[in-house]
Amino acid sequence: MKKANNQKITLNSEKIKKREQRIKILKITILLILLFLIILYFILRVVYELGDFTVSLDPQLEEKSGLVMYEHLADKQNKKILKAEKVEYMDNICVDWLPDNLSDGEGSHNGDNYLAYSFYLENQGTETINYWYNVVADDIIKNVDRAIRIMVIRNDEKIIYAKPNEKTGEAEGGADEPTEKFHNSKDLVLKQRQGMQPGEIDKFTIVIFLEGDDPDCTDELIGGEMKMHMDITEEHINEDQNATEETQV
């Protein structure tokens, strides 16, 4: 009888021990999940709090080449990252509705249904330099990139970029306002600026809007969102050398 009681006590102890182990494993699992969610939250917070459009300058360009970036010509406060003000709601418009003096602004100068942002790059070094500018798509919701237009004005040169027509694969736009096709689905705009002389200043104006005359601008895009940023870098590694050569200006 005493032996049976001892066996019963031993069995109960093993059950309790196994239950405690399961509880311990469960607690550790929950803690790991919570830790993962906290890390994910902060990553997303950093990404999405930067705004709808940001411009980043590679620090090596300033250190090695003397290229600096700022918003205002009269107040050259060098920045590594510039942030454009958000456009909370953007309805489709036509390119003809945009003001003619978009490149006159500085910093954020958004208008009705379009984002407009201007900044400067200055070669404060002693040597002639080259740099790349790249507009990157970070997030696209409901295929809104089908009708998005990205206008890049560098000094006196204006180019409008758009996703190719889904049926023909050709560039969108008419003869009056032709467009260049996005470089690819991720790197929307990819260009190299060559031969920037010491003391030379490049002014950029970036305008983003929804083109209502685009055949792909349909009700399916309602509620869509798009987040993108622009990188200014010393080099851009491209697997296709021919494609790299085609992007040089």
Side-chain angles (χ1 to χ4, degrees):
M1 187 71 177
K2 185 176 181 181
K3 185 177 180 180
N5 288 335
N6 289 337
Q7 289 178 344
K8 187 175 181 180
I9 292 171
T10 301
L11 290 173
N12 287 337
S13 298
E14 289 178 352
K15 287 181 179 180
I16 293 171
K17 186 177 181 180
K18 288 180 179 179
R19 185 177 64 185
E20 289 178 346
Q21 288 177 343
R22 287 195 297 268
I23 292 173
K24 186 177 181 180
I25 292 171
L26 181 61
K27 286 181 178 179
I28 293 172
T29 303
I30 292 173
L31 286 173
L32 289 174
I33 292 173
L34 287 174
L35 181 61
F36 171 77
L37 292 175
I38 290 171
I39 294 172
L40 181 62
Y41 166 77
F42 280 106
I43 290 174
L44 292 176
R45 183 176 178 181
V46 168
V47 170
Y48 285 94
E49 280 193 348
L50 285 177
D52 289 339
F53 188 80
T54 59
V55 184
S56 300
L57 174 66
D58 184 353
Q60 292 184 0
L61 272 174
E62 182 177 3
E63 295 172 4
K64 293 181 179 180
S65 307
L67 187 69
V68 299
M69 180 173 68
Y70 48 83
E71 280 188 329
H72 303 286
L73 196 59
D75 184 17
K76 299 180 180 180
Q77 295 186 25
N78 298 349
K79 302 286 187 180
K80 298 295 189 299
I81 297 179
L82 299 174
K83 182 173 68 173
E85 293 179 5
K86 293 183 179 181
V87 176
E88 297 296 339
Y89 174 78
M90 185 181 291
D91 200 353
N92 65 87
I93 59 175
C94 296
V95 65
D96 295 337
W97 298 3
L98 294 172
D100 295 329
N101 60 344
L102 283 168
S103 59
D104 292 344
E106 291 186 324
S108 288
H109 47 103
N110 302 336
D112 292 337
N113 300 308
Y114 68 86
L115 180 148
Y117 186 73
S118 297
F119 64 97
Y120 300 89
L121 292 173
E122 180 177 349
N123 182 1
Q124 293 185 352
T126 58
E127 298 180 0
T128 301
I129 62 173
N130 304 326
Y131 65 83
W132 289 86
Y133 52 98
N134 184 14
V135 178
V136 182
D138 298 308
D139 193 17
I140 302 170
I141 299 174
K142 298 189 69 174
N143 297 315
V144 73
D145 60 325
R146 292 178 180 175
I148 281 287
R149 295 289 189 272
I150 302 173
M151 179 187 295
V152 179
I153 306 173
R154 180 172 66 84
N155 300 329
D156 296 326
E157 180 186 22
K158 179 181 75 173
I159 302 177
I160 301 175
Y161 299 88
K163 189 174 184 178
N165 184 283
E166 293 199 345
K167 293 183 179 179
T168 65
E170 299 298 324
E172 298 279 16
D176 295 336
E177 289 290 350
T179 65
E180 285 193 15
K181 294 188 290 187
F182 288 158
H183 184 74
N184 57 46
S185 60
K186 183 69 174 177
D187 299 315
L188 308 181
V189 178
L190 180 60
K191 294 285 184 179
Q192 187 186 40
R193 164 46 157 127
Q194 294 184 332
M196 189 181 193
Q197 303 294 322
E200 194 171 358
I201 298 174
D202 284 347
K203 182 177 183 180
F204 278 87
T205 297
I206 311 297
V207 183
I208 300 171
F209 62 100
L210 277 168
E211 177 54 72
D213 286 340
D214 190 314
D216 294 318
C217 188
T218 63
D219 288 346
E220 296 177 359
L221 306 187
I222 294 175
E225 297 179 16
M226 188 168 180
K227 179 178 173 58
M228 62 189 85
H229 73 274
M230 184 174 184
D231 289 327
I232 311 296
T233 58
E234 184 175 14
E235 295 181 354
H236 183 85
I237 299 174
N238 197 319
E239 294 178 359
D240 186 351
Q241 184 63 32
N242 292 329
T244 302
E245 292 173 356
E246 290 175 0
T247 59
Q248 296 178 353
V249 294

